[in-house]
Amino acid sequence: MADQAATPEVPNSLQAQAPGMPLLEGAGSNQAFGIDIGGSGIKGAIVDLDTGLFATERVRIPTPQPATPDAVAQTCKELMDQFNLPQDMPVGITFPAPVSHDVVLFIANLDQSWTGVNVAELMWDKLGRKVHAVNDADAAGFAEAMYGAAKDVPGVVIVTTLGTGIGSAIVFDGKLLPNTELGHLEIDGKDAESRASSAQKTKNDWSFKQWAKRLQRYYSHVEMLFTPDLFVVGGGVSKKHAKFLPLLELKTPIVPAQLRNTAGIVGAAALAAQGR
Ligand code: BGC
């Protein structure tokens, strides 16, 4: 499927601003701040919730290594210090892990010391404000449902993100069912993401055709379990969707995500604003 005309424009990322640079500031009232924590970068922007577009530039700071809770929280502070955020602006933060009632349940692709951490308490100590912690794929999926490829799609939508791992979000009539973790389905005796993530494609140097066989197995299985009305495929590799989505034979329509690398920030901000 070709890119949709409605795809929000993705501003260039900025490296961390030098001290003394002016603070970034949004202009409207219906705004929230989103932070996306990834293995290589921590990114944030103010989001216009009416449009799902960034209201400011996006700021990116490399993820500290090791990415311990303290080090990441400190980086979040440095990131937020570059914005002029009203104290009552909702703040959402994504994690590449299931997060239930603010606690990271387990973590596959970031420092293991995150397991059991209460993110709200950690960030309150470091940032002095309330934050809303959500799973990264849930944020991306919710953003697609509100502003992107799944906007106004009734029924069951499954959004998957193909990256270092496989993330999933299930949205039913616009409502998110959080922490579904379908990347860890066991298929043929193996963790699905260890067989079919895009990181595995890169690591094993598979062609798109080789990789598509694994994706076929994966999506057929998910389709059998959930009978979705639509699959949306996100993650960095989704910009190459024309090379692999047409190779998949499914009953369910499968389309690329529209928000691309803004989805995590936008979804985190939107979920924080709704207090979910
Ligand atoms: C994690 C998920 C996450 C996904 C994508 C998986 O390994 O368990 O929580 O959404 O990777 O980052």
Side-chain angles (χ1 to χ4, degrees):
M1 198 173 122
D3 288 352
Q4 307 273 324
T7 301
E9 197 175 296
V10 182
N12 290 335
S13 66
L14 293 177
Q15 287 302 322
Q17 289 186 316
M21 290 283 281
L23 292 177
L24 294 168
E25 191 158 15
S29 55
N30 194 15
Q31 297 183 335
F33 190 67
I35 299 182
D36 189 7
I37 296 179
S40 60
I42 297 182
K43 295 140 282 184
I46 297 180
V47 176
D48 177 335
L49 298 170
D50 292 328
T51 60
L53 297 172
F54 290 166
T56 58
E57 299 278 6
R58 182 185 76 155
V59 172
R60 177 184 189 277
I61 301 181
T63 306
Q65 301 300 338
T68 57
D70 257 1
V72 167
Q74 179 59 32
T75 305
C76 289
K77 177 168 170 22
E78 283 161 26
L79 183 90
M80 286 180 60
D81 282 348
Q82 298 185 40
F83 293 83
N84 195 8
L85 300 182
Q87 192 57 33
D88 60 353
M89 182 179 278
V91 176
I93 301 190
T94 74
F95 281 86
V99 186
S100 177
H101 303 287
D102 298 320
V103 175
V104 174
L105 299 181
F106 66 83
I107 195 146
N109 299 310
L110 202 70
D111 199 85
Q112 289 301 309
S113 57
W114 278 98
T115 302
V117 168
N118 184 309
V119 179
E121 284 173 10
L122 172 75
M123 296 294 173
W124 178 262
D125 288 347
K126 205 58 117 183
L127 309 173
R129 63 192 295 155
K130 191 170 176 307
V131 305
H132 192 78
V134 294
N135 172 260
D136 57 358
D138 281 344
F142 190 66
E144 290 296 332
M146 283 203 60
Y147 309 105
K151 185 168 191 265
D152 298 328
V153 175
V156 176
V157 177
I158 299 189
V159 182
T160 54
T161 59
L162 302 174
T164 309
I166 296 181
S168 66
I170 298 185
V171 180
F172 176 54
D173 284 348
K175 283 220 158 61
L176 175 73
L177 171 67
N179 294 318
T180 48
E181 292 295 322
L182 302 185
H184 297 295
L185 280 175
E186 190 178 310
I187 299 184
D188 299 333
K190 295 246 170 68
D191 194 38
E193 76 174 23
S194 74
R195 291 176 42 91
S197 69
S198 85
Q200 287 298 322
K201 175 188 182 301
T202 308
K203 187 171 155 209
N204 295 292
D205 203 19
W206 293 325
S207 64
F208 278 102
K209 205 169 152 199
Q210 287 171 315
W211 186 43
K213 285 198 183 131
R214 290 165 180 260
L215 292 177
Q216 177 70 52
R217 180 86 184 89
Y218 178 66
Y219 284 108
S220 299
H221 191 64
V222 176
E223 179 175 62
M224 180 273 291
L225 291 173
F226 294 96
T227 317
D229 295 288
L230 178 69
F231 279 122
V232 178
V233 179
V237 74
S238 69
K239 60 177 179 282
K240 299 196 179 144
H241 58 89
K243 292 185 191 279
F244 63 98
L245 291 189
L247 304 180
L248 302 179
E249 288 178 20
L250 299 160
K251 293 181 216 85
T252 313
I254 185 161
V255 299
Q258 283 181 15
L259 275 76
R260 302 285 155 80
N261 63 354
T262 68
I265 292 175
V266 171
L271 284 166
Q274 298 197 355
R276 293 209 216 144

